[in-house]
């Protein structure tokens, strides 16, 4: 432990702690702009400048480790002026477009400008005329709003290992850009949106498609059917100032009906369906000598990464579509049939925590298995929250409502799809039944829970040992993919049977379409919200869902049947190969 003083307050912290972290421990605020707790401090902006007492040496709190006897002053008139000047200089290269900016109201630069009472711009304006890159189906890069904090580049390189973004040029002409000045859609970008949720300003954002939903609702010839992903129900609460981790399922159903949506379904049902198909596929691969390990395929960011960086492993991907795409396919087939609705009139919308999902609905022809686009539109949690606000919905005050049958009922296993380890846990609960014929007594599979980068375990299914691994954050996927690939090339036995991959740290609860400001504490609280919901569910295993039993008996026949294959499964493509 190290002893120091912050503004005269004695503090004892662990060695290696930074001044910024130590100040936080005693409730002292130090302003930051480029710093993000997920990332290695970049120390580019200078806002966290502090003084070492006695010698007045200026230090950057985010990147300076504490040492015994250190005494730090975090605020005085001189530090205030230095920070104000940094903000004024930053604003001199930033367009004054707050009123029309997507981050209006939640921009870190805007908040700091307000806090420091910036009322004029003493420095000559030097705003670049760079144009926005709209080539991606998911993400817009608007470099003329970029304040060059470096967070997006760090997250893409450190957390995701994708290296799609970089700073190009030198000095004043430095710009944030896809590496090698490519268009974003031609770069290795997997559309996870982590750059968006880490950007402090409006320089990277999701393609806003709220107008499309408004138009569909206003069209009397369309039946608007909306599904919502597991993690949206916990993320949306923060958009309406409810405590982090609050699960707002019933409120979401109610809010959707209030804005004019015709039928409300739940992607959790699609998640239960995914478990039936993916679990059966796993058992088939294990018992018939199929390609192992089987990789999960519900995360389009991960699937895009696998196709681009590990094309040699695409046979390991489960052929099961994601819960969103399964739900879309059965909305325009099974639901259309039982409700006697012309599928041509159904406008199928998915509320997702994810920007990559905007790409997934168009990734190939198997996404039109109903004969139409299975999902017409994807809106992120942030987009649907904006739409609710624009419609004057008092979200927090809404009474709970139920979703619509017959493809809305779900189990706790479907709910935990929203967090890292959840797909694996849900799969184990059902695979146990498929392999042994018995029910798993304790459904809490604690070995795969948590935020450790890679978690490994072995599940004993009455003598059949199933070796599993859970990976989140694409930079961590490299380690496991390299291990699997090396075994494959050497002709060695597969080192695992089943691996869950999620592109985003923490899983979809912290996806690129979720509320801003995520850190590990928030991830843990959102995850706890979903597990709590799981524990309180009537059914906690996908195969126990009465509506799942009914869709198989009435329509799909059995998991992996011909009909299930044509509606619920897909294939993969070798994309351009990228090396690290
Ligand atoms: S969306 Fe993901 S992969 Fe693409 S640039 Fe952003 S962080 Fe990188
Ligand atoms: S785009 Fe955003 S996150 Fe990236 S460097 Fe610019 S301001 Fe920072
Ligand atoms: S982890 Fe979830 S939110 Fe992130 S890219 Fe994958 S599906 Fe999207």
């Amino acid at each position: 432990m190290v002893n120091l003083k912050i503004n005269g307050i004695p503090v004892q912290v662990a060695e290696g702690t930074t001044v910024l972290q130590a100040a936080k421990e005693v409730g002292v605020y130090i302003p930051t702009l480029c710093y993000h707790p997920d990332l290695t401090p970049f120390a580019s902006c200078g806002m966290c400048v502090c003084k070492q007492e006695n010698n007045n040496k200026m230090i950057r709190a985010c990147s300076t480790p504490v040492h015994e006897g250190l005494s730090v002053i975090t605020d005085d008139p001189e530090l205030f002026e230095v920070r104000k000047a940094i903000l004024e200089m930053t604003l001199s290269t930033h367009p004054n477009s707050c009123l029309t900016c997507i981050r209006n109201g939640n921009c870190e630069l805007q908040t700091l400008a307000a806090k420091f009472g910036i009322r004029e711009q003493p420095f000559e304006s030097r705003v670049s005329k760079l144009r926005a890159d709209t080539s991606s189906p998911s993400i817009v890069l608007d470099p003329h709003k970029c304040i060059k904090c470096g967070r997006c580049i760090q997250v893409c390189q450190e957390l995701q290992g994708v290296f799609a973004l970089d700073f190009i040029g030198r000095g004043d002409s430095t710009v944030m850009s896809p590496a090698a000045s490519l268009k974003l859609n031609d770069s290795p970008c997997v559309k996870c949106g982590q750059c968006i949720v880490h950007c402090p300003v409006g320089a990277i954002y999701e393609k806003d498609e709220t107008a499309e939903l408004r138009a569909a609702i206003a069209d009397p010839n369309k039946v608007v059917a909306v599904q919502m992903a597991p993690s949206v129900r916990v993320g949306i609460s923060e958009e309406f100032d409810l405590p982090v981790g609050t699960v707002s399922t019933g409120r979401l159903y109610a809010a959707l009906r209030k804005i004019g949506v015709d039928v409300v379904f739940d992607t959790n049902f699609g998640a239960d369906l995914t478990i039936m198909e993916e679990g059966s596929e796993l058992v088939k691969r294990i018992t018939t000598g199929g390609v192992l390990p089987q990789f999960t395929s519900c995360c389009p960011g991960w699937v895009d990464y696998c196709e681009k960086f590990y094309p040699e492993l695409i046979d390991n991907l489960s052929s099961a579509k994601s819960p969103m795409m399964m739900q879309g396919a059965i909305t325009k087939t099974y639901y259309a049939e039982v409700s006697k609705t012309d599928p041509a009139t159904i406008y199928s919308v998915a509320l997702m925590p994810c920007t990559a999902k905007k790409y997934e609905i168009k990734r190939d022809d198997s996404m039109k298995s109903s004969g139409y686009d299975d999902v017409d539109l994807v809106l992120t949690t942030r987009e649907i929250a904006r739409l609710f606000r624009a419609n004057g919905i008092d979200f927090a005050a809404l009474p709970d409502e139920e979703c619509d049958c017959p493809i809305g009922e779900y189990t706790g296993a479907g709910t935990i799809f929203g967090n890292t380890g959840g797909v694996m846990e849900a799969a184990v609960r059902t695979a146990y039944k498929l392999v042994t014929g018995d029910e798993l007594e304790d459904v809490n599979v604690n070995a795969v829970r948590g935020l450790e980068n890679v978690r490994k375990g072995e599940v004993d299914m009455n003598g059949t040992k199933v070796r599993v691994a859970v990976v989140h954050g694409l930079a961590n996927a490299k380690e496991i993919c390299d291990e699997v690939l090396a075994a494959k090339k050497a002709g060695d036995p597969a080192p695992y049977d089943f691996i869950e991959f999620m592109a985003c740290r923490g899983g979809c609860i912290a996806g690129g379409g979720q509320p801003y400001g995520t850190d590990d504490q928030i991830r843990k609280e959102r995850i706890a919200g979903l597990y709590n919901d799981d524990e309180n569910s009537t059914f906690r295993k996908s195969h126990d869902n009465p509506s799942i039993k009914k869709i198989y008996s009435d329509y799909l026949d059995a998991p992996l049947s011909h009909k299930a294959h044509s509606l619920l499964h897909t294939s993969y493509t070798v994309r351009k190969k990228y090396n690290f």
Side-chain angles (χ1 to χ4, degrees), residues 146-153 167 176 195 198-201 203-204:
C146 173
I147 59 168
K148 302 180 180 75
C149 70
R151 286 189 199 173
C152 59
I153 294 162
F167 281 131
M176 170 278 300
C195 48
H198 285 80
C199 178
V201 297
I204 312 185

Side-chain angles (χ1 to χ4, degrees), residues 484-523:
V484 173
L485 188 56
K488 196 170 205 167
K489 283 184 175 162
D492 292 342
Y496 308 94
D497 298 303
F498 192 29
I499 307 179
E500 175 202 294
F501 290 94
M502 287 197 192
C504 301
R505 178 167 175 77
C508 305
I509 49 97
Q514 290 281 65
Y516 298 109
T518 312
D519 59 20
D520 272 357
Q521 184 54 33
I522 289 178
R523 288 183 178 96

Side-chain angles (χ1 to χ4, degrees), residues 261-276:
V261 165
D262 297 298
V263 270
V264 180
F265 295 139
D266 205 308
T267 317
N268 288 16
F269 176 86
D272 281 336
L273 202 50
T274 301
I275 285 301
M276 298 305 291

Side-chain angles (χ1 to χ4, degrees), residues 64 72 140 255 441:
T64 306
V72 180
V140 178
E441 294 224 333

